[in-house]
Amino acid sequence: MYVSKRSYPSISTGSKNASASYKDGSVVIDGKIVTSRNPDDIPNFIDAIAQKLIS
C-alpha cells in the first residue's frame, strides 16, 4: 500500500526511503488520510478535515 503524504521536512527522507509517495504542499489528502507538514499549515489542515467530515 502506497500512501501520499506530507510531513515535517526532517522526516521526509525517511518517508521517501519507506516508499511513501511524498508530495509538496501544505495539505495532502489521500483517500481518508489527511496530512500536513508543520504547525503553520494548521488552518489549511482544519479546512481539509472539515471538508472530509462534510462529504
Side-chain angles (χ1 to χ4, degrees), residues 2-53:
Y2 295 99
V3 176
S4 296
K5 63 177 271 187
R6 184 69 190 135
S7 66
Y8 208 73
S10 62
I11 63 171
S12 65
T13 301
S15 297
K16 292 174 190 174
N17 290 339
S19 299
S21 173
Y22 187 80
K23 296 187 177 184
D24 189 17
S26 63
V27 174
V28 173
I29 301 170
D30 186 2
K32 294 181 181 179
I33 300 172
V34 180
T35 57
S36 65
R37 60 186 164 199
N38 62 48
D40 293 335
D41 299 324
I42 289 174
N44 293 335
F45 183 73
I46 291 171
D47 290 343
I49 293 288
Q51 289 301 313
K52 291 299 283 180
L53 291 172

